[in-house]
């Protein structure tokens, strides 16, 4: 089944403890992106990648890192999480930039 | 910097009534605009994009460059249209690939 998967789906952590949220797609898509969703603020793009080894900042990249070493995976890294990074995170992919994006199920993160 | 504004956080209509979800944008270049929808317990999905100029589930949206708007319309709302709707703008030029979403509008269609 063609899909975008994220792991973990739920995560509770403490301030400063490094974590990684994985994102994987099996559709051979070029474009991948990470978003956070917060009440009243909608979806905000964190980072995106138009191809392997190519990543760019979205609107809210501070405190996050990404890598795109292979086409199918696009992990989101929080080196030193803080409570203001408590949010619902979505990964998405599309065949090309600007094409229909397919979203993952979301990862709910709580940073204490 | 690009910006997308959806002025209504909540919108309620009755079944069969027309519905319009507003989207205004600010962008210096030529925008590509999208509407995404999230139904309860489902993933975000594309509803329509302005370059395809198609109608999906009875919804249409016209890009008005003069008013910098991309409002989503449907002449007769259905209960199954109840969902969260997001308008999004794809930047071009040196920021090609950057996608900015609005704050979202929760549409409730009452029976």
């Amino acid at each position: 089944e063609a899909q975008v998967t994220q792991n973990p789906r739920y995560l509770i952590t403490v301030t400063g403890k490094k974590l990684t949220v994985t994102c994987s797609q099996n559709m051979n898509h070029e474009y991948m992106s990470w978003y956070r969703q917060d009440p009243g603020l909608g979806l905000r793009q964190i980072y995106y990648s138009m191809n392997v080894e190519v990543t760019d900042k979205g609107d809210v990249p501070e405190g996050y890192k990404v890598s795109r070493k292979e086409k199918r995976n696009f992990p989101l890294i929080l080196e030193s999480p803080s409570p203001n990074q408590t949010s619902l995170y979505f990964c998405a992919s599309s065949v090309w930039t600007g094409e229909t994006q397919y979203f993952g199920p979301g990862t709910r993160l709580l940073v204490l | 910097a690009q910006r997308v504004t959806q002025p209504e956080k909540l919108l309620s209509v009755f079944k069969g009534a027309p519905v319009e979800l507003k989207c205004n944008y600010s962008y210096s270049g030529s925008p590509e605009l999208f509407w995404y929808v999230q139904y309860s317990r489902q993933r975000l999905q594309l509803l329509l994009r302005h370059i395809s100029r198609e109608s999906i589930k009875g919804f249409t949206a016209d890009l008005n460059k003069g008013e910098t708007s991309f409002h989503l319309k449907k002449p007769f709302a259905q209960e199954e249209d109840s969902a969260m709707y997001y308008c999004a703008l794809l930047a071009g030029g040196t920021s090609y690939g950057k996608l900015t979403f609005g704050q979202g509008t929760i549409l409730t269609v009452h029976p």
Side-chain angles (χ1 to χ4, degrees), chain A residues 78-107:
Chain A
L78 284 73
E79 295 268 3
S80 182
S82 61
N84 64 13
Q85 293 178 297
T86 292
S87 188
L88 178 58
Y89 291 87
F90 289 101
C91 179
S93 73
S94 60
V95 60
W96 302 110
T97 305
E99 293 298 319
T100 302
Q101 287 198 77
Y102 295 88
F103 282 81
T107 294

Side-chain angles (χ1 to χ4, degrees), chain B residues 68-111:
Chain B
T68 60
S69 68
F70 188 56
H71 302 329
L72 183 68
K73 300 176 184 179
K74 185 170 184 177
F76 307 102
Q78 303 299 313
E79 290 180 68
E80 55 265 31
D81 296 328
S82 296
M84 168 74 93
Y85 291 80
Y86 285 103
C87 181
L89 182 152
L90 178 69
T94 56
S95 296
Y96 186 54
K98 189 172 182 181
L99 193 61
T100 298
F101 283 77
Q103 302 92 326
T105 298
I106 299 173
L107 173 66
T108 303
V109 181
H110 300 283

Side-chain angles (χ1 to χ4, degrees), chain A residues 3-5 31 35 37 40-45 48 50 57-59 90 97-101 103-105, chain B residues 2 9 32 34 36 38 43-46 49 51 84 86 90 94-104:
Chain A
Q3 61 179 342
V4 178
T5 57
Y31 183 92
Y35 303 91
Q37 185 181 43
L41 297 176
L43 275 169
R44 292 180 292 168
Q45 190 179 47
Y48 62 97
M50 291 195 284
K57 295 177 181 179
D59 288 320
F90 289 101
T97 305
E99 293 298 319
T100 302
Q101 287 198 77
F103 282 81
Chain B
Q2 64 212 64
K9 286 188 179 179
E32 284 189 55
F34 307 81
Y36 278 84
Q38 187 173 29
R43 302 187 185 195
L44 268 155
Q45 57 188 281
L46 179 71
R49 50 193 300 202
I51 61 172
M84 168 74 93
Y86 285 103
L90 178 69
T94 56
S95 296
Y96 186 54
K98 189 172 182 181
L99 193 61
T100 298
F101 283 77
Q103 302 92 326

